[in-house]
Amino acid sequence: MAKAGPRSDGGSRGARGSAETRAALIAGAVTALREKGYAGASAREIARNAGCNQSLVFYHFGTVVDLLLAALDHVSDERSLRYREAVERSGSLGELIHTARSVFDEDLDKGYVTVLVEMIAGAQSTPGLGAEVAARIGPWRDFTTDVAQDVLSASPLALLLPAREVAHTVVALYLGLEMLASLDGDRDSALALFDRAGLLAVLADAYLAREDTAPDA
């Protein structure tokens, strides 16, 4: 058997080119969902956005739906990193509410929520898509549960408000507010709720600080 010679870098170039094509297609799918909606996010539209042949959609992802799910994963991963960084910088409940308000505004400005809204809408007519989208919301509930546990741990409310139930409520409320604001363009009503919650959070922080400094009976 002949001894293999030095490996050509053609394989690495090919892998790099393949990765770049996949990334371009995912970005093209995100743009299509934002601008054309689920119904308009066709292979042709995505390929046009990506600047490549539409056959590459099927070569790299198999189906348009699988590519759209990859686009949803991409947006979700980006937002997850942003949310975790924001939460880590929040030292109090009041700061956490303020952070949530800022991130909410950012989500709407950049059209992140539109991607999820359109995928949920598409699930109504595409068999099996609903379960896939729901599975991708699960990690957000887990993340919110962890945050709720941290917030409630210093409060007597921890016994009355299970973190998992609080997380489910928060995720449902947040997504609902984003969807409504995305659909009707009225974000002021949602922001007003964040402002109200921020005031309550300031009171809660003050109460907890007083409890921490109160002398033992």
Side-chain angles (χ1 to χ4, degrees):
M1 180 181 293
K3 187 176 180 179
R7 176 180 292 182
S8 166
D9 66 352
S12 62
R13 284 200 302 269
R16 189 162 57 247
S18 178
E20 290 172 354
T21 299
R22 287 178 62 89
L25 288 169
I26 288 173
V30 171
T31 299
L33 285 168
R34 288 174 180 165
E35 297 181 355
K36 303 295 184 178
Y38 182 84
S42 63
R44 183 189 300 274
E45 177 65 22
I46 293 170
R48 185 183 67 80
N49 292 336
C52 62
N53 190 288
Q54 71 181 66
S55 64
L56 291 175
V57 170
F58 306 101
Y59 175 79
H60 285 285
F61 294 94
T63 68
V64 172
V65 171
D66 286 333
L67 172 52
L68 295 178
L69 286 170
L72 178 58
D73 286 337
H74 174 72
V75 169
S76 182
D77 288 344
E78 278 193 350
R79 301 316 293 156
S80 177
L81 179 61
R82 172 74 175 90
Y83 291 0
R84 291 181 187 280
E85 290 175 345
V87 167
E88 288 173 1
R89 291 197 302 268
S90 300
S92 67
L93 182 57
E95 291 177 357
L96 186 60
I97 297 297
H98 178 74
T99 295
R101 187 188 193 279
S102 298
V103 171
F104 179 88
D105 243 354
E106 187 178 304
D107 284 350
L108 291 176
D109 285 340
K110 296 187 176 182
Y112 292 123
V113 66
T114 303
V115 174
L116 177 58
V117 169
E118 291 299 329
M119 292 299 286
I120 291 174
Q124 308 306 309
S125 58
T126 305
L129 182 57
E132 293 288 349
V133 174
R136 285 159 172 79
I137 294 176
W140 291 106
R141 281 199 296 265
D142 295 337
F143 167 66
T144 309
T145 298
D146 291 340
V147 174
Q149 286 175 336
D150 289 341
V151 170
L152 293 172
S153 62
S155 168
L157 294 176
L159 297 176
L160 300 175
L161 299 173
R164 190 71 181 176
E165 294 179 10
V166 171
H168 183 81
T169 302
V170 169
V171 170
L173 177 62
Y174 191 87
L175 290 179
L177 288 174
E178 284 196 333
M179 288 180 189
L180 285 175
S182 178
L183 289 171
D184 63 18
D186 177 20
R187 71 177 66 182
D188 289 341
S189 296
L191 293 177
L193 288 178
F194 280 103
D195 292 337
R196 296 287 185 185
L199 292 174
L200 293 175
V202 169
L203 294 175
D205 285 334
Y207 171 79
L208 293 175
R210 186 180 65 180
E211 288 294 304
D212 289 339
T213 58
D216 295 334

